[in-house]
Amino acid sequence: MTYRTGSIGEFMRWTKRVVAEPTAATGPKRWFDSDRTAETVLGTTTSAEAMVKLLSEENLALLHLISERRPGSLRELATLANRKESNLSRTLKKLRSAGIVDFEDRPGRARVPRLAARRVTLELDLVGPDSSVSVERRD
C-alpha cells in the first residue's frame, strides 16, 4: 500500500482534483501528516524488498529464540544464537525499525529484546510500484 505525507491543505487540493477529475485518482491510497504517523498506523515503513532480506532464515531463527527462550539480555541472546553481540545488536536495530522487535529496559544499561510483532504480511505488486508491508503487533 502506498502512502503520501503532506499537510491537510495538500490533501484537500488533491481530493478536490480527484472529485473534479476522477482519472486523477492514481497515487497514494492513504495520506499522513508525517512518516512517523504512517509508521505508527501501518506498523512499518520498511519496503517489501528490505523486509524480505531482513526476514532471512537466520533472522527468523533469531526471532524464534527471542519468542521461545525469552533471553534476559542481549548477551544471553548472543550466546543462544551463537552470534557476536555487535552483529546481533545491528540486526536487532533493523528489526526494531521494522516494528518486529522491541526492547525492554532493565536496571543499568541492560536492554532485553522482545518480540513485538505477531505477523508480517508482504503484498508484492509484480507489475507496479504498489508493494506493501504490514506488521501486526502483539497484544
Side-chain angles (χ1 to χ4, degrees), residues 3-129:
Y3 74 91
R4 182 171 174 189
T5 58
S7 68
I8 291 174
E10 289 171 311
F11 174 69
M12 286 176 36
R13 285 188 291 280
W14 180 81
T15 303
K16 287 178 182 178
R17 190 173 71 242
V18 168
V19 169
E21 186 182 333
T23 58
T26 60
K29 296 178 183 175
R30 289 190 174 190
W31 282 71
F32 297 98
D33 63 341
S34 67
D35 286 327
R36 185 178 179 129
T37 302
E39 186 174 338
T40 300
V41 172
L42 300 174
T44 186
T45 57
T46 304
S47 72
E49 295 80 9
M51 189 63 81
V52 168
K53 289 178 185 177
L54 188 58
L55 295 176
S56 67
E57 189 174 331
E58 184 179 33
N59 288 346
L60 288 173
L62 180 66
L63 295 172
H64 184 75
L65 271 175
I66 293 169
S67 176
E68 295 297 314
R69 302 289 294 271
R70 298 186 57 84
S73 67
L74 185 60
R75 180 167 287 142
E76 183 182 339
L77 179 59
T79 301
L80 289 170
N82 197 26
R83 289 175 67 171
K84 290 184 179 180
E85 211 171 316
S86 60
N87 171 281
L88 187 62
S89 181
R90 281 191 300 274
T91 299
L92 290 173
K93 285 178 185 176
K94 291 176 185 174
L95 288 165
R96 183 180 190 195
S97 176
I100 297 172
V101 169
D102 214 342
F103 293 99
E104 182 182 309
D105 290 326
R106 292 278 174 92
R109 294 180 46 196
R111 293 177 39 195
V112 179
R114 293 290 179 240
L115 198 57
R118 174 179 180 77
R119 180 183 323 262
V120 173
T121 304
L122 299 173
E123 188 175 309
L124 302 175
D125 183 348
L126 301 176
V127 295

